Amino acid sequence: VQLQASGGGLVQPGGSLRLSCEASGRVFTSPTMAWFRQAPGKEREFVAGMRWGDRNTRYSNSVKGRFTISRDNAKNTVYLQMNSLKPDDTAVYYCAARENNLIIGAFGQPKMYDYWGQGTQVTVSS
């Protein structure tokens, strides 16, 4: 299984970006997908997650109300729409996948995911 993340770039504060993560290889029937990010000198942190089957989602407090995770079944792709971006959102963003359902309370634990994408850089700066 491979996860290909894309869509990062440089954006001004208040701007928007949409990240994409396409899964290829073995098709999961009911995975859990998530986005994490890691800023320089900081630990990897959870951003948003979605259970494929019932579309249950969870967001970190720092992005709630600004970011939206969504999916396109036909394209095996999960998206992260990021609005009202702030300089603190600057980081490398990683998508992650688990082969089956994950309880919502465990969405934020990196060790629970089986596969990781290569990361895409998001820089928010004027």
Side-chain angles (χ1 to χ4, degrees), residues 16-19 66-70 79-83:
S16 298
L17 281 175
R18 189 177 79 158
L19 306 184
R66 300 188 297 122
F67 291 11
T68 302
I69 187 170
S70 63
Y79 302 100
L80 185 68
Q81 178 66 44
M82 307 186 294
N83 298 328

Side-chain angles (χ1 to χ4, degrees), residues 17-110:
L17 281 175
R18 189 177 79 158
L19 306 184
S20 301
C21 176
E22 181 179 4
S24 60
R26 185 157 51 92
V27 177
F28 304 142
T29 56
S30 188
T32 300
M33 304 290 292
W35 289 94
F36 288 77
R37 67 186 182 187
Q38 188 166 18
K42 295 186 177 181
E43 293 186 354
R44 189 168 298 191
E45 67 168 341
F46 171 76
V47 175
M50 170 184 278
R51 274 202 307 240
W52 211 257
D54 59 12
R55 295 185 184 246
N56 259 303
T57 59
R58 184 174 185 181
Y59 297 90
S60 69
N61 288 336
S62 61
V63 307
K64 197 174 296 183
R66 300 188 297 122
F67 291 11
T68 302
I69 187 170
S70 63
R71 73 182 198 196
D72 185 326
N73 284 3
K75 297 181 179 180
N76 288 325
T77 299
V78 64
Y79 302 100
L80 185 68
Q81 178 66 44
M82 307 186 294
N83 298 328
S84 302
L85 283 161
K86 306 174 182 179
D88 284 349
D89 296 317
T90 295
V92 177
Y93 283 70
Y94 298 90
C95 61
R98 176 183 170 92
E99 293 189 18
N100 48 36
N101 280 335
L102 190 60
I103 60 173
I104 292 177
F107 274 18
Q109 299 179 28

